[in-house]
Every structure is written in structure tokens, then in C-alpha cells.
Amino acid sequence: MSATDAHTLPTIVADAAVTDALRQDLTDAGFTVERVDALWGAEAAASLHRGSRVAALRALAARDTTALTTLATLFVLGLPVTRADAERAFATTGVAAVAAAGLVRADDGDGVVRPTVDLRPYAFVDDLGAGSWWIVSDLGELALGTALGEEHVLGIGGATTTLSGLQVPVPVRRVLDLGTGCGIQALHARRFADQVVATDISRRALDIARFNADLNGVDGIEFRYGSLFEPVAGERFDRIVSNPPFVITPRREGVPSYEYRDGGMVGDALVETVLRGLTDHLEPGGTAQLLGNWEYHWGVDGLDRVRSWFEDADADGRGLDAWVLERERQDPAAYAETWIRDGGTKPGTDAFDDLVDAWLDDFQDRRVTGVGFGYVVVRKPQSGGTVHLRRFERVPEALGSNPAGLGATVARALDAAAWLAAHDDVALASAHLVVAGDVTEERHYWPGNDDPTVMTLVQGGGLGRRVDADTALAAFVGACDGDLSVAAIVGALAQITGVDEQALAADLLPAARDLVLDGLLAPRA
């Protein structure tokens, strides 16, 4: 089936009786991440990720046909199965009902059942513990054998798990999932919220997201159709999460515009629009966690451009706390090639080369020299409060160990920024600080030298910060066990080293602030 036939795909229908029965069939078959991976092993799974089914099919050929192998063949590999095998796999639901729901096609008269969607198990860990769901999305390039359709509804990928891990694991009343796609962020948000509103400009995406919620027995999510903040005009939320359709796409004839990634604006204007709209839709004290792209222009740094969007809001009295982390930067050619391949157009073809030309022409016309990708975290000040967090940084690729994602790190950084804003140097000097449990110290020596030449404080979790420390800072951090105040530690170090106490405090207090914000130190509970 060609991707150009996407408009002929059956509508996904979330009927409670069908989703209940299908949930039972998937459970009975043991359709889990662990058991599917065990069907073909890690090497075949890696081969699938690279776009080849051969190793997985060879592994399945050596196994007896079961409900699990049938479901994996049909929905993970995207291949047809016999009607008889499908009936056994859908013993409770029935093939006819699965077809009526829009998940398979079984009416070709050849005794074969074909998938019309991708449906696979998904496992995760967050601050509430381990969980798992089944997630429906549209068939990918491997199953289609051609480029994706413009109405394609994307499944779970790296960006999905990144954003779900960024969500702050703090219970709130209402969350907005802006651009829900297959609904995965809304499902994650619901674990920490009483109510979730999920919006999208794609009706098929909303149908699929609603089906996923019903299939997994998750209530409390309201699905609304519309662009950006239009479906929630006049409403405010305690949290907003979004993986918006931020991919920079030339506005030129012949360039596909995929609903799941292209918001229809020029350059990074969609990300700018979303960021500027947050303040009107966040409750005081509310937070937002987003992914985004931003352009570098000739002579203009990308992070400086993002900073200017927030500074414009400051001038209007609508400022937000902002923390922007750039994780990657691509040159124009690499960016174009990445997203053209993402749409299923293969390198080495005339179509691929034509699209690269269109992207590079667009970047050249608008003086774009690169594109940054990363995370945006914001918080709206409490009523009458002021902005006290503005951090725009490039974070190395290697992060710390974060099995449940960076959400707890985000929450801790926001709390630390508020604590620091409430503590001037006098108050900080009176505070009692403790070293975080994941902090270690590395020391390097010249051979035969008893004194270290380099000392580095290393954060095991979070962003995996590495902070070079001189003797005074290392000794200060080592003494932060909560018993002595900052001032007492500084005074003791000044006496031991014979350094002027005020001069030492002038060096250590700013460093202590940075370490608190970074999570290496924390106020004593």
C-alpha cells in the first residue's frame, strides 16, 4: 500500500467493547516489550531499527506460530498473516471487529489479514514506578515500502521518550498536551494530573490518541481539534507539555508538509509562537516542558534569538522563568538530510536531491547557518512575582544516569532557582547546605606529586555536570554535610589557609549558588 493512499486508510474507531476485548487478547498473547524482544533477540531488534526485517523474520521462521508471533508479525513487522492465525490471535475480539476499528484490512478475499496501523507494546519507568501500554500509530516506511503520507501519525521515538522524561513528576490539576500526535505525552501526563486536554490539527491523530487512551484504560483525557492554543482559548493550565511540529520546512511547491512535524510556518516561527503563547495559558506557578528547534542566522547566535523571545515578553510585563538547553546543533545540509530521510525519501534518488536543494535554497535565502535542537523549561511567576531564572546553555551529549528521565532534575532546578532568589548573600551565608548523594570527586596527580593538579566535582545523575574545583571549593563542598552554615565553613577555611575571610566568601558564595542551581548542593531539609 502506497503512502499516497493514506487518505484511504480506515478511520480509527474507539469502541469500548472492542478496546476492552482487544486489551484482553493482547494480554493473553503476552504482547509485551520483553516477550516481543525475546522473539528475535537484540541483534534482530537493532536490525529492525536500521530498517531491515530479515533477521527478525529468520528468527520467527524457527518458531511455532502463536498468538504472540502473529501479533508481532502483523503490527511490529507490518506484514500480512493468514486469516486463521489472526482469528486465533484475536480470539476475544474477532478479526471483523478489529477491522471495523480500523486496525487491519481483511476483505480482499484471499484469506489474508493486513495491518493498516502499527501497534506495539511500550514500557517505561517514571517516578511512580514501571508501567506499560500498547500504542497505535501509522505504519512506518519499512512496512509501507515508500515515503510517508503527509497525514502520517508518528509512533514512539527518541523525541517521545525525551519529552516524557522531561515532564515534571509533581501532581497537578490540569495539563495541556499541545500537539498530542498518537497521545503518548497525554498518557504520561495523566499519571500526574487530574485532567489532561490533548489537542492536534490532525483528526486522524486525535482518533488514534483517543483509541490509545481507551485501549489502555486511561480516562481523564479530553481530545480537542485545532491549531496551537486555539482549542484552549481563555483557559489556563498547571502544566503544558509539547513536542510541537517544529521541523523547519521550505514553504515551496513539491516539498511534503507532514502534519506530525511541520506547523506550516516559516523557519522556527512555530516554536517562537508557542513560547510566546505560554504565559497566557499557564496558571501562576505553572510550568511547561517542550522540545524545539531554533535557527542560527549570519552573525546571530541561536540561543540569543530564543533569549530575545523571552526578553520581549519581559518588556510587556509577561515574563517567564526560562531554562533552555541546547543538546545538538546541525549545519543546514545535515539538518535537511536528516528530515528528508525521516519522511521516507531515500538518499541517492532524484527526489532526495531535489528536496535537499529546496532546503538549502531556503536556508540560504534566509541566511540560516545552523539549527539548534533542545529542551525548553519555563515557569510562570506567582501573581506579583518576578522572573528569577534565565539560563540558556549548551549541554554536552553525555548526561548523568536518569532511569526515570530528567523530570525530577527539572523540578529540582526550578525549586532551587526559587530558593536562591529568596536568599541574598546574607541569607545564603546563614544557610546549611548538603552535598547531593550522586556527587563524587575526581583527583588527578602528576607522577610523584602528593598534591592534586586537577580536582573535578562529578554529578552522577541529572545533566552529569562536571565542575572543576580549586582547593578552597573542593574543601568547601566536602564540608557541606548540613551541620555548619555556609559562613561557618568559609570562616574555618579562611582560618586554616590564612586567606582573608571576606575575599574567600566573595569567591565561594557565587560558586555555591551555581552548585545549588546545578543540583550538586542542596539546602538542608
Side-chain angles (χ1 to χ4, degrees), residues 282-308:
L282 282 173
E283 295 281 8
T287 68
Q289 297 91 55
L290 308 94
L291 305 183
N293 274 174
W294 35 86
E295 294 180 337
Y296 285 72
H297 293 173
W298 291 0
V300 182
D301 186 274
L303 286 180
D304 286 343
R305 295 185 65 251
V306 181
R307 187 194 308 270
S308 72

Side-chain angles (χ1 to χ4, degrees), residues 6 12 138 149-154 178-183 198-210 223-228 231 245 257-262:
I12 304 300
D138 274 328
E150 293 187 21
E151 297 179 357
H152 180 82
V153 177
L154 193 67
L178 188 72
T180 193
C182 70
T199 68
D200 209 287
I201 60 170
S202 166
R203 294 194 184 278
R204 180 168 179 82
L206 292 173
D207 287 341
I208 287 177
R210 187 178 294 108
F223 299 94
R224 301 185 191 177
Y225 173 77
S227 177
L228 298 180
S257 176
Y258 296 104
E259 285 185 336
Y260 75 88
R261 72 182 203 192
D262 175 19

Side-chain angles (χ1 to χ4, degrees), residues 107-122:
D107 56 0
D108 292 349
D110 55 0
V112 170
V113 175
R114 296 175 173 82
T116 55
V117 296
D118 182 293
L119 192 169
R120 63 183 66 203
Y122 165 69

Side-chain angles (χ1 to χ4, degrees), residues 97-147:
V98 177
L103 308 187
V104 300
R105 196 171 73 242
D107 56 0
D108 292 349
D110 55 0
V112 170
V113 175
R114 296 175 173 82
T116 55
V117 296
D118 182 293
L119 192 169
R120 63 183 66 203
Y122 165 69
F124 61 91
V125 177
D126 62 20
D127 280 57
L128 295 179
S132 62
W133 295 314
W134 297 286
I135 300 297
V136 170
S137 61
D138 274 328
L139 292 169
E141 175 193 353
L142 180 62
L144 294 171
T146 186

Side-chain angles (χ1 to χ4, degrees), residues 40 43-54 56 76-77 142:
W40 41 63
E43 291 183 4
S47 183
L48 275 173
H49 186 70
R50 295 190 297 268
S52 173
R53 290 179 290 215
V54 175
V76 179
L77 302 184
L142 180 62

Side-chain angles (χ1 to χ4, degrees), residues 402-467:
N402 301 283
L406 288 170
T409 298
V410 170
R412 185 211 51 74
L414 293 173
D415 289 344
W419 186 88
L420 289 167
H423 287 70
D424 60 14
D425 281 351
V426 174
L428 177 60
S430 299
H432 293 245
L433 302 179
V434 295
V435 183
D438 64 342
V439 174
T440 57
E441 182 184 288
E442 293 179 355
R443 294 193 174 204
H444 299 269
Y445 299 79
W446 289 115
N449 195 331
D450 292 336
D451 296 321
T453 55
V454 178
M455 291 180 288
T456 305
L457 302 174
V458 180
Q459 184 181 49
L463 297 179
R465 307 271 191 186
R466 297 179 63 87
V467 180

